[in-house]
Amino acid sequence: MSQVKAYAAQSPTSGVAPFAIERRAPRPDDVVIEIDYCGVCHSDLHFAYNDWGITPYPIVPGHEIVGHVTAVGNAVKDFKPGDIVGVGCLVDSCRKCGSCEHGLEQYCENGWVGTYNGVDLHDGTPTFGGYSEKIVVSERFVLRMPASLDLAAAAPLLCAGITTWSPLRHFGIGKGHRIGVVGMGGLGHMGVKFACALGAEVTVFTRSASKVEEAKQQGAHHVIISSNEAEMNAAASRFDFILDTVPVPHDLNPYVNVLKRDGTLILVGLLGPVEPPLHTFPMVFGRRRIAGSLIGGLPETQEMLDFCGEHGIVCDIEMLDIRNINEAYERMQRSDVRYRFVIDLATLKG
Ligand SMILES: [Zn+2]
Ligand SMILES: [Zn+2]
């Protein structure tokens, strides 16, 4: 065991502040990682504030982790000290169920272990995330970071990136497809980059005319102002897929209407009831589908990272001193970040 510096929330109102945590001595299959960068995901602030009512305090958020290996357990085969590695949202799962056998650990039928807010399956200790100097993770859940990428800007690939990559790949989106992306935040801008790189024709749906230039800068071929009914009607039956990244309740009916026959609306942001209610008429009469998708498994996360290495894809980020984390949360609540904060962990160590 070793004590390391971290930042934790102690209650829904405490904010995130310095806190010391223990990291375990490496087990035979463990990789010890000194963390260099950690992206700040919306889940982090939801857990810190207990928005979902399930936070076990204290909590150390952070699941977009990039760092370098400092030690490995004696059974580790694929990593050695000095390797540049990443850790995303998962640090363990049952490893035996059908989902785990297919490398879809995010759908583990016995429940996966979150990088934070989880409980270690071996010793029952709480898992603590990337707002810390070090993390110790089984090698099955460690990813290799492409050397060609800016590592700080690559950190958010581990949650925001894979959340959009996984459904695009699952549904085979590529050349010849028209895809719409709803929402231009951390997830949406990655969805645009990936869909473009995969060869699709990409349209961004946004409520504000001020985002039109931004969307085009990200590579979108077209932009539709979703509050403009005439524009939405003109797009009826046009899209093969819609990737909807909006995390709050919003009207899905106009997006079902712009799908072609057999088109699919993929939800990756919204968790909870649909408001206003969904009208099934366009679904039944056009065999249109609504689907959900959760982050990604380890093999497809590695596939995404390798693809990003080949195509030079990273997130657009703003570097953050960890001492300013609470202000960053406030800015995220106002959508005032383009598009992801990434903590420079040198500011924790210094
Ligand atoms: Zn996340
Ligand atoms: Zn499993």
Side-chain angles (χ1 to χ4, degrees):
M1 298 259 273
S2 64
Q3 201 173 60
V4 304
K5 289 185 197 170
Y7 262 58
Q10 303 290 343
S11 82
T13 54
S14 65
V16 181
F19 183 63
I21 58 170
E22 299 282 343
R23 291 298 191 191
R24 65 176 181 259
R27 299 172 188 143
D29 66 331
D30 273 341
V31 177
V32 180
I33 301 162
E34 184 170 334
I35 302 172
D36 296 306
Y37 303 105
C38 184
V40 183
C41 173
H42 271 268
S43 303
D44 297 358
L45 66 93
H46 290 310
F47 274 108
Y49 297 156
N50 198 24
D51 288 338
W52 294 321
I54 53 170
T55 302
Y57 292 101
I59 186 154
V60 176
H63 59 204
E64 295 179 340
I65 298 166
V66 172
H68 57 278
V69 176
T70 57
V72 294
N74 56 26
V76 169
K77 292 189 204 78
D78 293 337
F79 298 97
K80 59 180 192 312
D83 287 352
I84 306 298
V85 295
V87 177
C89 304
L90 317 176
V91 289
D92 209 351
S93 67
C94 86
R95 311 184 187 200
K96 294 190 291 249
C97 72
S99 296
C100 288
E101 277 182 2
H102 285 93
L104 297 168
E105 297 87 352
Q106 79 276 32
Y107 301 120
C108 175
E109 290 144 38
N110 298 303
W112 44 270
V113 178
T115 302
Y116 62 84
N117 188 49
V119 174
D120 185 85
L121 295 175
H122 302 272
D123 62 18
T125 58
T127 59
F128 291 126
Y131 298 8
S132 58
E133 291 175 291
K134 272 207 286 186
I135 191 165
V136 182
V137 180
S138 168
E139 72 168 328
R140 174 167 171 158
F141 291 83
V142 177
L143 296 142
R144 200 167 283 287
M145 298 303 294
S148 58
L149 297 180
D150 173 335
L151 294 173
L157 295 173
L158 294 156
C159 175
I162 188 60
T163 297
T164 51
W165 174 262
S166 178
L168 295 177
R169 295 290 288 155
H170 177 74
F171 289 102
I173 292 166
K175 259 195 180 28
H177 287 138
R178 284 190 186 137
I179 168 163
V181 176
V182 186
M184 267 296 286
L187 295 179
H189 93 291
M190 289 312 305
V192 171
K193 289 183 198 222
F194 286 146
C196 290
L198 289 166
E201 184 184 320
V202 180
T203 299
V204 165
F205 291 88
T206 175
R207 274 179 306 177
S208 63
S210 65
K211 294 248 176 130
V212 173
E213 270 321 298
E214 257 181 60
K216 294 212 164 149
Q217 273 167 23
Q218 294 298 330
H221 305 100
H222 317 280
V223 182
I224 290 177
I225 307 297
S226 56
S227 51
N228 183 327
E229 218 171 302
E231 265 189 69
M232 289 299 281
N233 288 339
S237 303
R238 190 180 154 80
F239 291 90
D240 299 283
F241 298 94
I242 304 282
L243 180 69
D244 185 332
T245 68
V246 177
V248 294
H250 56 289
D251 193 358
L252 300 186
N253 293 293
Y255 298 111
V256 177
N257 281 328
V258 300
L259 289 172
K260 288 180 184 168
R261 169 179 50 79
D262 292 327
T264 305
L265 169 67
I266 308 159
L267 298 169
V268 295
L270 179 64
L271 286 172
V274 172
E275 292 283 349
L278 193 62
H279 202 305
T280 61
F281 191 96
M283 294 173 68
V284 172
F285 277 72
R287 201 160 59 187
R288 298 174 175 100
R289 291 170 293 197
I290 296 186
S293 181
L294 177 69
I295 42 178
L298 273 294
E300 63 185 346
T301 305
Q302 189 63 61
E303 175 200 68
M304 171 210 62
L305 291 170
D306 295 344
F307 182 89
C308 288
E310 280 162 36
H311 291 80
I313 296 174
V314 288
C315 295
D316 293 18
I317 63 160
E318 185 174 328
M319 287 299 286
L320 185 68
D321 183 319
I322 198 165
R323 289 165 291 192
N324 299 328
I325 184 70
N326 296 300
E327 289 155 61
Y329 281 3
E330 284 166 28
R331 283 184 52 197
M332 286 164 69
Q333 289 182 305
R334 300 193 299 267
S335 300
D336 175 22
V337 55
R338 296 288 175 276
Y339 289 93
R340 209 61 152 183
F341 286 113
V342 173
I343 300 166
D344 180 353
L345 268 308
T347 60
L348 173 65
K349 295 162 196 163

